[in-house]
Amino acid sequence: MITSHTFEKLAALVKTHSGIHLTEAKRQLVVGRLAKRLRHHNLENFDRYYEVCTSSPDELQIMINTITTNETSFFREQHHFTYMRTHILPHIKTGHLRVWSAAASIGAEAYSIAMVLDEILTPHAITWEVIGTDINTDVVDQANEGLFPMRFAEQIPLEYLKAYCLQGVDTHEGEFIIDDYLRSKVHFEVANLMEPIPNDLGRFDIIFLRNMLIYFDNPAKEHILKNVLKTLKPNGMLFIGHAESIGHLTDEVTQIKPTIYRKGARS
Ligand SMILES: C[S@@+](CC[C@H](N)C(=O)[O-])C[C@H]1O[C@@H](n2cnc3c(N)ncnc32)[C@H](O)[C@@H]1O
């Protein structure tokens, strides 16, 4: 059980540190997810847990990790990958292409992007890299490992599965791992998109910001878009999730298709 007052305090703490907007409708979900943290600290109620979070940065991070929803899959919203392969990549003739999976979760999105880039660009000697970031430190560690439960393999086209994935053995029975080559082209780090994006992340040709904005209210969405779009090169492409819309929140991009945008005003 959590009182309305304590839920509001916890929700405010989550909002301050992640931007995530926990509505009253999320109350039971939050109680369910955080119950094990109360047991871990042997606490009798959420008021005490709130105190632990406000006095311990480590517990605050664990709380944010526990609260975030990290649902993802390989080649989720397949049409984005088709669009990239047919409408964007064929026009890249030289240079080094940089793609950002901006709320990467465990990395399925970033590795899906890498498979397509390797297939289309590498044979033409065009170099590329993929960066994935997330606020959740656990999923960033998992993404860097590149180890996935076998059920995730079902979403990967067979030719990519054969080319880039290895079946786990012994302690990794029932899992598969992304091979060393593809993992060397993709790296993951922790970043909070509510905060200024670190300069050393660089600038990007393509950004995937998918299925993340749904957890934020409009002012936070606007703030995140401003931060993220600073790193998108002119004419760079932005993909958002199918349940998201940003037209009313920024005039820095032009809509090409319902969830596909190009940086720059309509000419
Ligand atoms: C539902 S997953 C989306 C994963 C992937 N983009 C996809 O579409 O499959 C949303 C991710 O956003 C991350 N997230 C939430 N708030 C964030 C913030 N302020 N900064 C960075 N990442 C955040 C969560 O940790 C979670 O992994």
Side-chain angles (χ1 to χ4, degrees):
M1 261 295 288
I2 187 170
T3 63
S4 296
H5 178 64
T6 309
F7 178 72
E8 279 165 25
K9 283 200 304 185
L10 262 177
L13 193 62
V14 169
K15 184 142 175 70
T16 304
H17 290 277
S18 70
I20 294 169
H21 181 55
L22 291 176
T23 58
E24 183 60 33
K26 292 276 164 69
R27 193 158 146 177
Q28 279 322 308
L29 184 82
V30 169
V31 168
R33 287 187 181 178
L34 292 179
K36 64 174 184 284
R37 297 309 303 162
L38 266 70
R39 282 197 298 276
H40 175 85
H41 290 289
N42 212 5
L43 300 172
E44 65 273 20
N45 61 44
F46 280 90
D47 263 321
R48 290 283 300 114
Y49 184 62
Y50 174 82
E51 284 165 23
V52 174
C53 289
T54 49
S55 58
S56 156
D58 287 350
E59 187 59 38
L60 182 61
Q61 180 66 56
I62 293 171
M63 195 262 280
I64 300 287
N65 288 358
T66 311
I67 288 296
T68 57
T69 297
N70 312 113
E71 189 189 322
T72 190
S73 54
F74 283 84
F75 294 93
R76 184 177 193 181
E77 300 180 40
Q78 168 74 45
H79 66 105
H80 285 159
F81 298 91
T82 306
Y83 186 90
M84 187 170 72
R85 127 207 281 279
T86 55
H87 286 74
I88 304 178
L89 301 184
H91 301 292
I92 314 281
K93 299 294 178 210
T94 54
H96 179 75
L97 191 88
R98 302 190 76 241
V99 184
W100 183 20
S101 169
S105 183
I106 55 173
E109 179 178 86
Y111 289 121
S112 304
I113 297 166
M115 291 176 193
V116 178
L117 298 189
D118 193 54
E119 184 202 356
I120 307 289
L121 299 183
T122 306
H124 300 285
I126 298 164
T127 60
W128 56 272
E129 69 187 300
V130 181
I131 316 274
T133 59
D134 204 284
I135 195 173
N136 180 326
T137 53
D138 290 337
V139 296
V140 168
D141 287 346
Q142 238 178 296
N144 273 320
E145 268 189 348
L147 199 58
F148 294 89
M150 201 49 94
R151 68 190 153 81
F152 278 78
E154 288 161 20
Q155 310 128 5
I156 304 177
L158 199 58
E159 62 275 23
Y160 289 148
L161 202 55
K162 283 187 188 151
Y164 305 111
C165 305
L166 303 167
Q167 194 165 348
V169 288
D170 299 334
T171 52
H172 294 305
E173 194 77 43
E175 294 175 305
F176 69 94
I177 189 159
I178 305 295
D179 73 6
D180 287 351
Y181 165 71
L182 207 70
R183 267 189 297 137
S184 73
K185 311 279 280 179
V186 184
H187 96 267
F188 298 90
E189 48 189 273
V190 176
N192 179 354
L193 300 182
M194 285 297 286
E195 290 173 1
I197 309 300
N199 276 338
D200 58 9
L201 214 59
R203 304 225 296 154
F204 296 95
D205 302 281
I206 304 173
I207 298 176
F208 283 68
L209 179 64
R210 306 189 313 161
N211 306 303
M212 184 254 187
L213 291 173
I214 31 169
Y215 302 106
F216 297 81
D217 60 17
N218 276 342
K221 282 182 194 171
E222 244 177 271
H223 184 75
I224 289 170
L225 279 168
K226 211 172 249 158
N227 275 346
V228 167
L229 288 174
K230 271 191 196 135
T231 71
L232 187 59
K233 295 178 188 172
N235 292 319
M237 301 297 296
L238 173 72
F239 294 94
I240 62 169
H242 72 281
E244 297 161 329
S245 64
I246 57 168
H248 55 303
L249 299 170
T250 175
D251 55 9
E252 290 187 66
V253 290
T254 302
Q255 191 174 43
I256 308 295
K257 285 183 175 277
T259 53
I260 306 178
Y261 295 81
R262 173 177 288 124
K263 188 159 182 190
R266 191 176 288 279
S267 49

